């Protein structure tokens, strides 16, 4: 859409008017096909989200008065765990996998990179505690999930802060 500038209008006013006119005219021809193609490609690249049941303070599956359950997706859990595991210069997550069976979290498999000189066994205990605290915050206390369900593998040791490497 070509606009002839009027003497009293500035470039921003012209651009605003052009954008509003284009929006009023509707989507360009062929847009729906392009949008469908982009959505399809995104779906093929992204893994589907896996729902995980939330537990109430007593360790039971959280339900409202009508029996509806509360869920959190694995993407939210993974993102929260990655954030929680990035706070110390002694370690950084390399890979993180969640084991979900029957809509319940059954395990966390964590590959860590550690800083050279850090004692690995005590670090693993600290990391397990961080993981369990974060999971309880997000999913509530699951009586069937404990420290033994958090598998930690140290896949590398690097000089300095492993978050920077």
């Amino acid at each position: 859409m070509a606009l002839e500038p009027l003497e009293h209008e500035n470039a921003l006013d012209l651009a605003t008017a052009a954008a509003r006119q284009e929006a009023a005219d509707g989507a360009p021809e062929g847009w729906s096909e392009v949008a469908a193609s982009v959505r399809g490609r995104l779906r093929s690249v992204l893994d589907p989200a896996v729902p995980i049941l939330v537990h109430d303070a007593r360790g039971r599956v959280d339900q409202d008065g009508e029996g509806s359950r509360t869920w959190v997706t694995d993407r939210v859990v993974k993102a929260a765990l990655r954030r929680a595991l990035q706070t110390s210069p002694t370690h950084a997550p390399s890979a993180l996998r969640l084991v979900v069976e029957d809509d319940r979290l059954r395990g966390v498999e964590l590959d860590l990179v550690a800083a050279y000189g850090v004692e690995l066994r005590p670090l693993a205990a600290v990391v397990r505690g961080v993981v369990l605290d974060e999971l309880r915050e997000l999913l509530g206390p699951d009586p069937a999930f404990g420290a033994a369900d958090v598998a930690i593998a140290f896949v590398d040791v690097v000089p300095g802060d492993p978050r920077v490497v």
Side-chain angles (χ1 to χ4, degrees):
M1 161 185 231
L3 294 175
E4 293 296 323
L6 300 175
E7 290 180 22
H8 66 281
E9 292 183 301
N10 65 30
L12 180 58
D13 292 335
L14 289 173
T16 302
R20 287 183 177 146
Q21 182 60 45
E22 186 175 339
D25 291 343
E29 186 176 326
W31 174 250
S32 60
E33 292 83 10
V34 171
S37 173
V38 169
R39 281 192 300 272
R41 288 182 184 178
L42 281 173
R43 286 186 190 114
S44 71
V45 173
L46 297 174
D47 291 331
V50 176
I52 302 171
L53 280 171
V54 173
H55 292 78
D56 65 14
R58 293 174 290 199
R60 297 182 301 198
V61 174
D62 190 31
Q63 294 183 338
D64 64 12
E66 296 177 10
S68 296
R69 295 177 172 184
T70 305
W71 310 80
V72 174
T73 69
D74 64 331
R75 290 181 188 160
V76 171
V77 174
K78 286 178 184 178
L81 288 175
R82 282 192 187 102
R83 278 191 306 274
L85 294 169
Q86 291 282 350
T87 61
S88 173
T90 60
H91 61 278
S94 171
L96 174 63
R97 292 167 299 283
L98 301 180
V99 178
V100 179
E101 296 172 357
D102 299 325
D103 301 325
R104 294 174 187 245
L105 184 64
R106 296 297 185 211
V108 174
E109 299 170 352
L110 180 59
D111 292 349
L112 284 180
V113 177
Y116 181 77
V118 174
E119 293 290 328
L120 298 182
R121 287 187 184 177
L123 177 58
V126 168
V127 167
R128 274 191 188 89
V130 168
V131 169
L132 290 172
D133 288 346
E134 194 66 31
L135 291 175
R136 284 187 193 108
E137 182 73 25
L138 286 169
L139 303 174
D142 182 352
F145 192 92
D149 299 309
V150 180
I152 297 174
F154 289 98
V155 296
D156 200 0
V157 175
V158 296
D161 188 341
R163 300 172 300 176
V164 179
V165 175

